[in-house]
Amino acid sequence: RLDVCRIEPVGDRGRHQVMNKQLVALRQQQLTLENEAIWTFETIAARSNALAKRAKKSARYHQARRKSLRAMLRAAGIEPTPPALGYPASSLITDHDMRQHSQKLLHRIARAEIKVIGSTIGKVRAASVESLHEVSLALIGWGSPAQAFPGLD
């Protein structure tokens, strides 16, 4: 099928198959959210002693995700979306506000991952399911109630 592509090594040179436009757009959307997540969690770590440990752990996870997404896009010959020049910080005042903001952001990341799951197959889909699982655990860690299918709201 032309509307589905894999981002898996092919041949002996480790080349990657080309992503279609839909998957490129989804991966770029994910990258945009990962950039925002890194900024958000680093800001929370700097502003809240109570949330610093969790925020630093979250920032490290999202840095790894960003690195992976950038590598996928570059392997497909696509220039990754750069971080924004800034992000809204007005909702990062109290610890409660920071938890709420983190939950909303993680829900957006889960929704983006659901879209990728629906657009991929094989190992790529399995990796996206694993990423959704990690986001689900992070949501619980940030105080969100457990959901059977996060991102499908």
Side-chain angles (χ1 to χ4, degrees), residues 78-149:
I78 308 296
E79 185 60 31
T81 301
L85 295 177
Y87 299 94
S90 60
S91 64
L92 300 176
I93 306 303
T94 68
D95 287 356
H96 175 76
D97 294 340
M98 292 179 204
R99 281 188 197 93
Q100 292 296 309
H101 184 88
S102 297
Q103 290 172 26
K104 289 176 185 174
L105 176 57
L106 289 168
H107 275 290
R108 289 174 33 223
I109 291 170
R111 281 192 295 276
E113 199 68 64
I114 290 282
K115 291 177 185 175
V116 172
I117 290 168
S119 300
T120 56
I121 59 174
K123 292 178 184 177
V124 177
R125 178 178 279 173
S128 289
V129 169
E130 180 63 30
S131 294
L132 180 61
H133 176 75
E134 293 297 323
V135 171
S136 301
L137 293 175
L139 274 162
I140 294 167
W142 282 98
S144 183
Q147 291 180 286
F149 300 103

